[in-house]
């Protein structure tokens, strides 16, 4: 094995046994196969097998599994071994192992610094991270590690220096490295934990572009944590992405004010009030509280307004199915298809298959799927196979997918494992297409692939 091959496995999940199927092998009692493949260069098998040995207090054996992978110089393998060492109380060994990888900065340095901080070496961690402030990952780790060390003001000064008074970004990629909006968010986190809540709120109101990360708005979360509901309500009335409105609705729902939460989403003059994502959140809220009919009405309105938008049709169909109304769901999908006046492509047509199965049975759904012009394609096969497998007809599911191997290799391999055909599944997964060799990513964020 070599680092490039391991990197390809982790990056593409192709030509190898992916994590989901490694877990399935273990769950179904095929641990001997996982053990064997761990010794043959299958990274995800090695990682899982080493963890299993660790859980069984077989530390030497776990390290033996990982050692050839670590010997390649590949960072993820070294990180996995360091995490095991730390979990066994051997933190100094973990630190020695991880230290050489920190020269590239980025994620290896973040992991190393957090490891140092967990074991009483916070000063070294802070020093190392402070030198890498241009990397937002390292800056975030620095803010986390500085908590409770008396270094908050030192870190705050470094962050404040990254927030120019006059410069205004015109895109999230304007400033290389740690952008001003991210620096503002990190500085606000420090002020909040210092109890300077008003100052943190004022800071977050100055952000220009990046107000939400991973569908969470920092200001909305801060206001919710400190029970400043009226301020959160005012912010939700102006915030464009809808994340603040969702947080307000969550708080109200948690307090038992379901009507208030519903009203937040139905506030017609709120930015994004008519956005499909906001409508979906409202529908989920209604469904959670036994108001499935209203939830369906909400998503029907979106389906009518955004004809042919597949994710909306998925959500609507799921609601019809959950409410035991497949007939009505199919009628609505048929009406929408008729309004488009053309044969539905498979990416829209297959949405109705669970509804057909619920109304008329699996055989009818399969027959309808096969009668579609694209019903014999490789991309239709997984949907038909899912219907068969769900009805306990796994061998038929395999037969369908085998007609299109290796296009659906992961789906097919999963069903083969379920049937106990483990060797066939592994052989299928390990087939590799020729591909150019990509440079191994070192973990540095800005100078190396994939960025």
């Amino acid at each position: 094995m070599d680092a490039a091959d391991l990197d390809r496995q982790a990056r593409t999940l192709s030509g190898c046994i992916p994590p989901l199927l490694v877990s399935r092998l273990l769950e179904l009692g095929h641990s001997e196969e996982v053990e064997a493949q761990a010794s043959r260069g299958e990274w995800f098998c090695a990682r899982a097998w080493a963890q299993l040995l660790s859980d069984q207090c077989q530390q030497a054996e776990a390290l033996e599994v990982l050692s050839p992978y670590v010997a390649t110089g590949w960072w993820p393998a070294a990180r996995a071994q360091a995490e095991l060492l730390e979990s066994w109380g051997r933190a100094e060994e973990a630190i020695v192992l991880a230290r050489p990888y920190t020269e590239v900065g980025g994620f290896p340095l973040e992991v190393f610094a957090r490891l140092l901080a967990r074991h009483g070496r916070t000063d070294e961690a802070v020093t190392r991270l402070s030198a890498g402030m241009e990397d937002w990952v390292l800056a975030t780790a620095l803010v986390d590690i500085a908590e409770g060390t008396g270094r908050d003001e030192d870190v705050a000064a470094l962050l404040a220096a990254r927030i120019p008074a006059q410069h205004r970004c015109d895109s999230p990629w304007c400033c290389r490295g740690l952008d001003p909006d991210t620096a503002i968010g990190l500085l606000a986190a420090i002020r909040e934990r210092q109890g300077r809540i008003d100052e943190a709120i004022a800071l977050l109101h100055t952000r220009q572009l990046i107000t939400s990360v991973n569908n969470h708005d920092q200001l909305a979360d801060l206001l919710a944590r400190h029970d400043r509901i009226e301020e959160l309500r005012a912010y939700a009335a102006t915030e464009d992405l809808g994340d603040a409105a969702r947080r307000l609705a969550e708080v109200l729902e948690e307090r038992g004010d379901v009507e208030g939460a519903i009203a937040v989403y139905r506030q017609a003059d709120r930015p994004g009030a008519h956005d499909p994502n906001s409508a979906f959140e409202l529908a989920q809220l209604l469904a959670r509280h036994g108001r499935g009919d209203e939830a369906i009405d909400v998503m029907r309105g979106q389906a009518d307004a955004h004809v042919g938008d597949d994710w909306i049709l998925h959500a609507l169909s799921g609601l019809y199915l959950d409410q035991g109304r497949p007939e009505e769901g199919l009628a609505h999908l048929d009406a929408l298809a008729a309004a488009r006046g053309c044969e539905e492509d498979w990416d829209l047509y297959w949405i109705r298959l669970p509804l057909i199965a619920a109304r008329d049975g699996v055989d009818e759904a399969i027959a309808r799927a096969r009668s579609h012009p694209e019903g014999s394609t490789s991309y239709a096969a997984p949907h038909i196979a899912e219907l068969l497998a769900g009805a306990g007809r796994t061998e038929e599911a395999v037969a369908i997918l085998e007609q299109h191997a290796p296009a659906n290799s992961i789906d097919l391999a999963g069903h083969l494992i379920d049937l106990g055909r483990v060797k066939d599944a592994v052989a299928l997964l390990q087939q590799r297409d020729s591909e150019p060799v990509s440079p191994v990513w070192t973990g540095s964020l800005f100078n190396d692939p994939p960025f």
Side-chain angles (χ1 to χ4, degrees), residues 364-430:
E364 177 62 22
I366 291 170
R368 293 273 294 274
R370 285 173 167 162
S371 69
H372 189 275
E374 298 169 83
S376 61
T377 61
S378 62
Y379 49 84
H383 301 122
I384 298 174
E386 184 178 359
L387 289 170
L388 289 164
R393 295 156 63 177
T394 307
E395 291 185 356
E396 293 177 67
V398 165
I400 289 289
L401 293 169
E402 283 180 332
Q403 298 173 25
H404 304 283
N408 299 303
S409 60
I410 292 180
D411 290 321
L412 174 54
H415 292 308
L416 288 170
I417 291 170
D418 291 341
L419 291 173
R421 295 171 56 184
V422 173
K423 298 297 184 185
D424 293 339
V426 170
L428 175 67
L429 290 167
Q430 290 178 338

Side-chain angles (χ1 to χ4, degrees), residues 295-319:
I296 286 173
D297 288 342
V298 168
M299 292 312 296
R300 279 187 62 160
Q302 292 299 317
D304 292 338
H306 303 273
V307 177
D309 195 320
D310 59 348
W311 81 266
I312 293 175
L313 294 179
H314 272 291
L316 176 60
S317 298
L319 286 169

Side-chain angles (χ1 to χ4, degrees), residues 22-74:
V22 173
S23 297
R24 190 178 299 184
L25 285 168
L26 291 172
E27 289 165 5
L28 295 178
H30 301 293
S31 57
E32 74 290 341
E33 187 66 32
V34 174
E35 180 183 12
Q37 295 301 326
S39 67
R40 297 172 186 163
E42 284 283 349
W43 164 242
F44 298 113
C45 287
R47 187 177 65 180
W49 187 243
Q51 184 61 58
L52 187 61
L53 291 170
S54 173
D55 294 341
Q56 296 171 350
C57 299
Q58 299 183 56
Q59 295 181 10
E61 292 82 354
L63 292 180
E64 185 178 351
V65 169
L66 292 178
S67 62
Y69 295 86
V70 176
T72 67
W74 189 52

